[in-house]
């Protein structure tokens, strides 16, 4: 198994994730995943694989287990040059009324664990495992979009946070104050690390997180945080704001967020639309 590149700078990852092609993995049609190395570099693939392996492997540790034969078949389908087998397998699970929780934990999570073991033992190549992880991420995004909106009796919990390393926090402060005045329970996170933000999401009853970023210096931190949130909390609504949208809105959309907002009124409209169960609103 290849070692992870832990000392790559934010600027290097920004180049990897944005300059080569803005068609990030989650936006690709299923059959276009085969030539993945032509879309993003090996560093970006390894970055994605690491995040999914780390998070999904942990989430797979629970009592109920999918049959080993099904996991083996699913792993083979994920590594197949064409992706229709993996997509068909998940569709069949849904048709059999397998819950989303079991699909995430017992199928996607167990597949990630097994693929990680095969990568560790050099049974599978980096290219094969990273392709499989990209497909898992695409499947997760597809399932998330088909999930019903939560039926909430009270205003849902929100988190407004500055991306790790971000110094321009006035927008986060203003949004927190305005939403609290409107009666929304808001957790306000400034100067927090990647792990601290994830722990805040895990430790609190929240349904949406708003992330703010002004420039490209910490764009990799934003991408990494979105990936981690999507893996650990696929139901969580994610909105992005800040000056970064003027130059990188397309790539941020494609990695899998629910809305981009340019100002606080836009944020209010987006948040209210997500939790109005009488409407179905696309964040974009």
């Amino acid at each position: 198994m290849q070692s992870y590149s832990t000392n790559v700078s934010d600027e290097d990852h920004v180049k990897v994730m944005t300059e080569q092609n803005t068609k990030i993995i989650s936006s690709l049609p299923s059959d276009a995943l085969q030539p993945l190395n032509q879309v993003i570099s090996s560093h970006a693939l390894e970055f994605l694989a690491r995040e999914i392996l780390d998070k999904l492997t942990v989430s797979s540790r629970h009592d109920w287990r999918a049959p080993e034969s099904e996991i083996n078949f699913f792993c083979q389908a994920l590594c197949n040059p064409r992706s229709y087998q993996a997509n068909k397998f998940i569709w069949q699970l849904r048709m059999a009324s397998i819950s989303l929780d079991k699909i995430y934990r017992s199928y996607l999570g167990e597949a990630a664990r097994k693929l990680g073991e095969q990568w560790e033992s050099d049974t599978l190549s980096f290219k094969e495992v990273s392709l499989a992880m990209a497909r898992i991420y695409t499947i997760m995004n597809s399932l998330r979009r088909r999930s019903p909106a939560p039926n909430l009796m009270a205003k849902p919990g929100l988190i407004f946070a500055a991306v790790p390393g971000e110094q321009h926090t006035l927008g986060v402060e203003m949004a927190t104050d305005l939403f609290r005045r409107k009666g929304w329970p808001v957790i306000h996170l400034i100067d927090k690390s990647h792990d601290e933000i994830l722990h805040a999401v895990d430790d609190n009853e929240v349904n949406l997180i708003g992330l703010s970023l002004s420039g490209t210096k910490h764009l990799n931190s934003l991408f990494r945080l979105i990936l981690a949130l999507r893996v650990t909390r696929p139901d969580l609504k994610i909105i992005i704001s800040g000056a970064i949208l003027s130059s990188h809105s397309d790539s941020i959309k494609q990695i899998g967020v629910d809305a981009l907002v340019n100002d606080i009124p836009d944020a209010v409209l987006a948040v209210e639309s997500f939790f109005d169960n009488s409407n179905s609103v696309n964040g974009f």
Side-chain angles (χ1 to χ4, degrees):
M1 180 175 177
Q2 296 189 13
S3 61
Y4 293 122
S5 301
T6 57
N7 295 321
V8 179
S9 68
D10 283 345
E11 289 81 5
D12 288 338
H13 273 306
V14 169
K15 183 177 181 180
V16 165
M17 300 296 283
T18 61
E19 290 183 358
Q20 293 199 11
N21 197 314
T22 57
K23 293 182 179 179
I24 305 300
I25 291 166
S26 61
S27 71
L28 291 172
S30 58
D31 287 338
L33 284 172
Q34 180 183 0
L36 201 57
N37 59 337
Q38 299 176 15
V39 180
I40 58 177
S41 78
S42 61
H43 281 300
L45 287 174
E46 192 167 354
F47 173 69
L48 174 68
R50 178 186 181 184
E51 201 68 42
I52 293 177
L53 280 170
D54 287 350
K55 298 300 186 298
L56 268 186
T57 300
V58 171
S59 72
S60 71
R61 297 170 185 164
H62 60 112
D63 294 335
W64 192 85
R65 289 284 186 270
E68 188 72 14
S69 60
E70 293 184 7
I71 298 300
N72 289 336
F73 175 84
F74 185 42
C75 287
Q76 292 173 1
L78 288 166
C79 295
N80 192 285
R82 296 182 66 83
S83 63
Y84 70 90
Q85 287 186 340
N87 296 337
K88 181 180 179 181
F89 179 80
I90 295 298
W91 178 80
Q92 289 173 332
L93 292 178
R94 294 295 289 138
M95 292 298 292
S97 300
I98 303 297
S99 69
L100 286 175
D101 182 68
K102 284 186 176 180
I103 290 176
Y104 279 116
R105 297 177 182 274
S106 298
Y107 287 92
L108 299 178
E110 285 295 322
R113 180 189 60 78
K114 181 173 285 291
L115 289 165
E117 291 175 352
Q118 292 174 326
W119 189 7
E120 185 78 39
S121 64
D122 291 326
T123 306
L124 290 176
S125 69
F126 164 75
K127 180 179 179 180
E128 290 172 315
V129 174
S130 57
L131 171 61
M133 292 304 143
R135 286 179 174 157
I136 286 176
Y137 187 67
T138 303
I139 289 169
M140 292 177 64
N141 269 339
S142 178
L143 291 173
R144 176 180 59 83
R145 295 188 184 102
R146 287 164 174 76
S147 301
N151 186 16
L152 301 168
M153 300 302 293
K155 286 186 181 294
L158 314 177
I159 288 179
F160 290 146
V163 170
E166 174 62 45
Q167 299 299 311
H168 297 87
T169 61
L170 180 60
V172 177
E173 306 275 1
M174 293 174 62
T176 298
D177 182 66
L178 185 142
F179 274 84
R180 283 175 175 171
R181 290 175 183 272
K182 287 179 171 288
W184 296 79
V186 181
I187 297 171
H188 172 239
L189 301 178
I190 298 294
D191 294 328
K192 300 298 182 182
S193 69
H194 176 89
D195 288 341
E196 286 174 326
I197 293 174
L198 293 180
H199 289 155
V201 171
D202 288 340
D203 294 342
N204 295 277
E205 294 290 333
V206 295
N207 301 90
L208 178 145
I209 185 168
L211 301 172
S212 178
L213 182 63
S214 61
T216 60
K217 182 178 180 181
H218 301 292
L219 185 58
N220 170 61
S221 296
L222 173 63
F223 284 143
R224 182 186 176 214
L225 190 53
I226 292 170
L227 285 169
L229 290 168
R230 278 287 169 252
V231 174
T232 56
R233 280 288 307 274
D235 61 307
L236 189 72
K237 295 293 185 183
I238 302 175
I239 64 174
I240 309 297
S241 66
I244 192 65
L245 300 183
S246 64
S247 58
H248 291 81
S249 60
D250 287 343
S251 58
I252 293 172
K253 281 182 186 179
Q254 290 164 347
I255 205 169
V257 300
D258 296 289
L260 308 181
V261 297
N262 293 312
D263 51 34
I264 292 179
D266 278 353
V268 172
L269 290 174
V271 173
E272 290 180 344
S273 71
F274 289 143
F275 304 111
D276 180 356
N277 290 326
S278 64
N279 295 315
S280 179
V281 179
N282 186 333
F284 300 127

